[in-house]
């Protein structure tokens, strides 16, 4: 294959210095609260706009549309999107393949520089991006801000990681040879994110792909295509060449499925439910006629995350950690605590304190910066309420248990705590993905670890204890990809907490960590005779 000249682009600017996390915004400061209110007003004025598919840089309209709505006010349209169908797979693939021929040879400095520019642009319009998340997925201000800060972190972190990988040196050199290892791109990737971190996860998988030299067909979730459209606009503004990211909202079961199955798809970066992840794994493993490679899959899936509260734990801090992990963003995080496993010696006291804490949580329109907004859609609300009804039979309702009274049309649910849920029962085993926490009594620490490990998932977990010996045991025996000690089990930070789970939680890809970009590249070893 002939080498295609890489286009030269101005403004290569490489960030100097070590990676530093983007600071989170303190909304208790008047200045920040004012900026957030202004951004919300500005974005409110832009709701309902129509967005096109972007294939090879061309804007395309389709007959079928996707309406992205505000879960807090479902009659309010956040964005009207085109719906890519099977007929768009070939054009998107051709555009991505064609862009790959030059993007793969574009210098890593230029690719990293694109990410740094995107990070800079995002910093400038951070409050506006926060506001889009408030409207599109009902995040409160702090949750939205954390999602955007993480997106900026991915720009800065993966940019630096790509530069680091490009300079890898082999320690062993054969006499008379120059021996090198190059991490080269894979090809066209299907990037399929969920709606719950509609900026950070969508952008993270996309940025890791393109900084490594791949090109992408990006199919965002139908619940959150607007934030993805905004992000792609930023990529374009930062100078991304046409066809490097092809923006194609569409149904998972038709368009998504067809992209996964396409013989020219080289890899699939997916984050979402266990069921869909397993389907993608199966489809990707099937060799299609003309397919030259074994497709690579990066699959991050669900969780049933537990916090173990030991008899000697600092109870107030455990209650706070459990409440924040269970009800932040309405419990719709793969890392959310959905099970508290509490030692019988402190069980009653824990529940008493937890009830008081949970009943302070405010629920309502997150534009007003409530603690909890609405759950993502009507289907999800119904499923969660079915779990709650089952829970009322299997256990003892401590607080919540219903839709929020007088909530109007929004999908608002009360934060719900159900105690005395037996190990192995439905609520203790299945991912609910909503504001529902089960509490299970343990006889001792051994028993607590046994219950914690006894699900098919293995994503996050936390242990509250003062005992050094129990901390060591948790590090050794609590089988999760992300374990936290004496702190909440949500809020993984890029660089510090590479994120990804075990077992049915996925392929443990460790996003935001030093191993992540290896998944988007292949190593080419060159032994060159010299002298
Ligand atoms: P989902 O599986 O329903 O959808 C995820 C994406 O897959 C969407 O873009 C969807 O359109 C697409 N899709 C659906 N069917 C498809 C198919 N047959 N082929 C190709 N694509 C298809 O998940 P969701 O409801 O968007 O997200 C919630 C889930 O994501 C939860 O299970 C949560 O635990 C998980 N999650 C995991 C992590 C992690 O890092 N492990 C992070 C966030 C969310």
């Amino acid at each position: 294959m002939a080498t295609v000249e890489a286009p030269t682009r101005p403004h290569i600017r490489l960030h100097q210095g070590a990676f530093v996390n983007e600071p989170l915004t303190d909304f208790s400061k008047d200045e920040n609260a004012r900026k957030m209110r202004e951004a919300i007003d500005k974005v409110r004025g832009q709701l309902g706009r129509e967005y096109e598919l972007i294939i090879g840089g061309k804007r395309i309209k389709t007959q079928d549309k996707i309406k992205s709505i505000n879960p807090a006010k479902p009659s309010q349209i956040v964005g009207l999107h085109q719906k890519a169908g099977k007929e768009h797979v070939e054009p998107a693939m051709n555009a991505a393949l064609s862009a790959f021929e030059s993007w793969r040879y574009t210098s890593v400095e230029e690719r990293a520089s694109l990410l740094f520019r995107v990070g800079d642009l995002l910093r400038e319009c951070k409050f506006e991006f926060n506001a889009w998340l408030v409207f599109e997925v009902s995040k409160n201000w702090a949750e939205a801000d954390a999602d955007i800060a993480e997106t900026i972190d991915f720009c800065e972190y993966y940019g630096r990681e790509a530069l680091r990988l490009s300079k890898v040196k082999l320690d062993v050199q054969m006499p008379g040879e120059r021996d090198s290892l190059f991490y080269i791109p894979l090809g066209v990737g299907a990037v399929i994110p969920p709606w719950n971190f509609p900026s950070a996860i969508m952008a993270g998988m996309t940025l890791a792909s393109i900084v490594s030299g791949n090109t992408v067909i990006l199919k965002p979730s139908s619940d959150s295509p607007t934030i993805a459209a905004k992000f792609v606009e930023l990529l374009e503004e930062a100078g991304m060449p046409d066809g490097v990211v092809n923006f194609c909202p569409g149904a998972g079961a038709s368009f998504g499925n067809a992209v996964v199955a396409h013989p020219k798809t080289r890899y699939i970066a997916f984050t979402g439910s266990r069921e869909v992840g397993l389907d993608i794994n199966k489809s990707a493993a099937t060799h299609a006629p003309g397919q030259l490679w074994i497709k690579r899959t990066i699959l991050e899936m669900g969780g049933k995350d537990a916090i173990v509260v030991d008899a000697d734990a600092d109870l107030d801090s455990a209650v706070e950690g459990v409440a924040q992990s269970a009800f932040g963003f309405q419990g719709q995080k793969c890392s959310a605590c959905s099970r508290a496993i509490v030692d019988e010696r402190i069980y009653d006291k824990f529940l008493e304190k937890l009830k008081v804490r949970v009943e302070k949580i405010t629920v309502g329109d997150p534009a007003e910066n409530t603690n909890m907004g609405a759950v993502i859609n009507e289907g999800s609300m119904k499923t969660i309420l079915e779990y709650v009804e089952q829970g009322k039979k299997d256990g003892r309702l401590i607080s919540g248990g219903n839709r929020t009274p007088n909530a109007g049309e929004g999908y608002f649910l009360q934060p719900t705590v159900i105690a005395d849920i037996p190990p192995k029962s439905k609520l203790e085993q299945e991912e609910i993905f909503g504001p529902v926490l089960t509490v299970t009594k343990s006889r001792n620490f051994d028993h607590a670890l046994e219950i914690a490990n006894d699900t098919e998932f293995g994503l996050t977990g936390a242990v509250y204890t003062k005992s050094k010996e129990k901390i060591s045991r948790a590090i050794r025996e609590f089988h999760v990809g992300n374990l936290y000690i004496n702190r909440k089990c949500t809020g993984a930070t890029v660089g510090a907490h590479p994120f990804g789970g075990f077992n049915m939680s996925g392929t443990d890809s460790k996003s935001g960590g030093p191993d992540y970009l290896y998944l988007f590249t292949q190593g080419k070893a060159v032994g060159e005779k010299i002298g």
Side-chain angles (χ1 to χ4, degrees):
M1 193 179 294
T3 303
V4 178
E5 277 277 296
T8 45
R9 242 151 249 292
H11 318 308
I12 290 194
R13 189 175 63 73
L14 297 180
H15 285 197
Q16 301 296 322
F19 166 79
V20 181
N21 293 110
E22 177 69 11
L24 299 175
T25 309
D26 178 357
F27 290 107
S28 68
K29 291 200 170 128
D30 288 349
E31 166 76 354
N32 291 333
R34 181 184 56 73
K35 283 190 194 158
M36 191 61 204
R37 272 190 225 98
E38 283 170 8
I40 285 173
D41 286 344
K42 184 170 174 193
V43 166
R44 192 178 275 118
Q46 297 172 18
L47 297 180
R49 207 193 106 185
E50 185 164 356
Y51 300 83
E52 281 96 32
L53 306 183
I54 307 175
I55 296 182
K58 286 202 192 72
R59 259 66 184 168
I60 296 168
K61 286 203 179 186
T62 61
Q63 197 114 50
D64 286 350
K65 308 284 178 197
I66 295 171
K67 270 188 205 159
S68 159
I69 53 113
N70 177 356
K73 283 188 189 143
S75 55
Q76 185 172 58
I77 295 174
V78 174
L80 184 65
H81 293 262
Q82 317 306 311
K83 191 172 186 179
K86 284 190 180 157
E87 68 280 18
H88 296 102
V89 174
E90 217 48 50
M93 179 56 74
N94 287 336
L97 284 169
S98 158
F100 182 60
E101 288 313 314
S102 51
W103 188 243
R104 65 194 295 193
Y105 298 120
T106 301
S107 72
V108 66
E109 288 77 13
E110 200 165 318
R111 297 196 306 247
S113 178
L114 173 76
L115 267 65
F116 297 142
R117 282 199 298 279
V118 174
D120 289 345
L121 288 171
L122 247 184
R123 255 183 227 105
E124 282 167 26
C125 56
K126 195 171 171 180
F127 287 91
E128 253 177 69
F129 267 68
N130 288 349
W132 281 107
L133 289 176
V134 169
F135 284 107
E136 192 161 48
V137 296
S138 216
K139 289 207 172 193
N140 73 12
W141 298 5
E143 294 289 349
D145 188 66
D147 196 331
I148 300 304
E150 190 175 6
T151 312
I152 296 171
D153 281 353
F154 284 141
C155 296
E156 296 287 344
Y157 189 83
Y158 293 147
R160 283 171 175 75
E161 277 297 293
L163 292 168
R164 180 179 70 80
L165 277 197
S166 72
K167 295 189 188 78
V168 164
K169 295 263 181 291
L170 293 168
D171 290 339
V172 179
Q173 297 284 309
M174 293 299 288
E177 277 189 18
R178 185 185 302 121
D179 296 314
S180 331
L181 183 59
F182 300 99
Y183 288 96
I184 67 168
L186 294 168
V188 176
V191 172
I192 306 180
W195 52 263
N196 73 327
F197 280 86
S199 180
I201 294 180
M202 175 277 306
M205 297 193 293
T206 305
L207 292 165
S209 294
I210 66 176
V211 81
S212 306
N214 305 292
T215 56
V216 163
I217 299 174
L218 168 62
K219 193 218 78 64
S221 163
S222 300
D223 285 308
S224 60
T226 311
I227 194 73
K230 292 278 156 202
F231 173 73
V232 174
E233 285 172 6
L234 273 196
L235 288 174
E236 291 181 325
E237 194 181 334
M240 178 190 73
D242 291 345
V244 169
V245 174
N246 299 281
F247 175 65
C248 299
S254 55
F255 181 80
N257 203 23
V259 175
V260 169
H262 195 287
K264 295 271 165 57
T265 296
R266 177 64 184 82
Y267 69 96
I268 299 104
F270 164 85
T271 307
S273 61
R274 170 193 179 282
E275 289 65 30
V276 175
L278 289 180
D279 276 354
I280 289 178
N281 196 41
K282 193 169 168 189
S283 164
T286 307
H287 179 261
Q291 185 180 315
L292 290 180
W293 41 68
I294 300 169
K295 288 179 191 173
R296 193 176 287 181
T297 53
I298 302 153
L299 307 170
E300 292 311 312
M301 299 157 20
K304 189 69 193 173
D305 313 308
I307 294 187
V308 168
V309 184
D310 184 41
D312 75 358
D314 174 337
L315 214 49
D316 289 330
S317 133
V319 164
E320 187 57 32
V322 167
Q324 286 187 18
S325 311
F327 301 113
F329 187 37
Q330 298 80 269
Q332 301 171 119
K333 300 184 188 179
C334 53
S335 56
C337 170
S338 59
R339 300 181 293 153
I341 302 167
V342 182
D343 190 286
E344 62 186 11
R345 284 163 285 181
I346 51 156
Y347 189 79
D348 293 337
K349 191 89 199 142
F350 175 86
L351 283 177
E352 213 175 280
K353 283 177 178 267
L354 184 68
K355 182 176 165 66
V356 173
R357 171 65 181 81
V358 170
E359 287 177 357
K360 285 188 187 141
I361 293 173
T362 57
V363 185
D365 187 348
E368 309 300 330
N369 203 19
T370 48
N371 298 140
M372 269 179 39
V375 299
I376 192 68
N377 55 38
E378 192 178 4
S380 181
M381 180 176 73
K382 285 185 176 154
T383 309
I384 296 165
L385 286 171
E386 278 166 25
Y387 275 110
V388 170
E389 288 313 307
Q390 180 68 43
K392 288 176 187 168
K393 290 181 201 138
D394 295 352
R396 172 166 54 107
L397 186 69
I398 301 293
S399 50
N402 282 303
R403 285 188 81 166
T404 312
N406 310 319
E409 56 168 336
Y411 307 130
F412 294 105
L413 294 178
Q414 296 174 322
T416 295
V417 179
I418 305 173
D420 306 347
I421 288 291
K424 295 190 190 298
S425 63
K426 187 177 167 76
L427 259 73
E428 206 267 333
Q429 294 288 313
E430 294 178 12
E431 185 180 46
I432 302 171
F433 222 58
V436 181
L437 172 75
T438 64
V439 188
T440 299
K441 196 184 277 184
S442 57
R443 291 190 299 276
N444 50 40
F445 193 68
D446 282 353
H447 187 215
L449 282 182
E450 187 187 314
I451 299 168
N453 281 333
D454 189 21
T455 76
E456 58 176 5
F457 296 105
L459 189 45
T460 76
V463 171
Y464 280 86
T465 179
K466 293 196 188 104
S467 152
K468 285 209 169 78
E469 190 235 318
K470 285 173 185 160
I471 291 172
S472 303
R473 284 202 49 208
I475 292 173
R476 204 173 54 235
E477 295 169 36
F478 197 164
H479 195 58
V480 289
N482 287 77
L483 177 66
Y484 301 97
I485 311 289
N486 290 320
R487 55 150 282 180
K488 63 180 182 164
C489 66
T490 51
T493 307
V494 170
H497 311 122
F499 191 80
F502 300 157
N503 298 348
M504 281 299 144
S505 292
T507 50
D508 189 40
S509 65
K510 291 293 183 270
S511 61
D515 303 323
Y516 196 59
L517 292 194
Y518 294 112
L519 301 169
F520 295 82
T521 55
Q522 50 198 341
K524 183 170 187 173
V526 178
E528 181 187 354
K529 192 103 182 136
I530 47 173

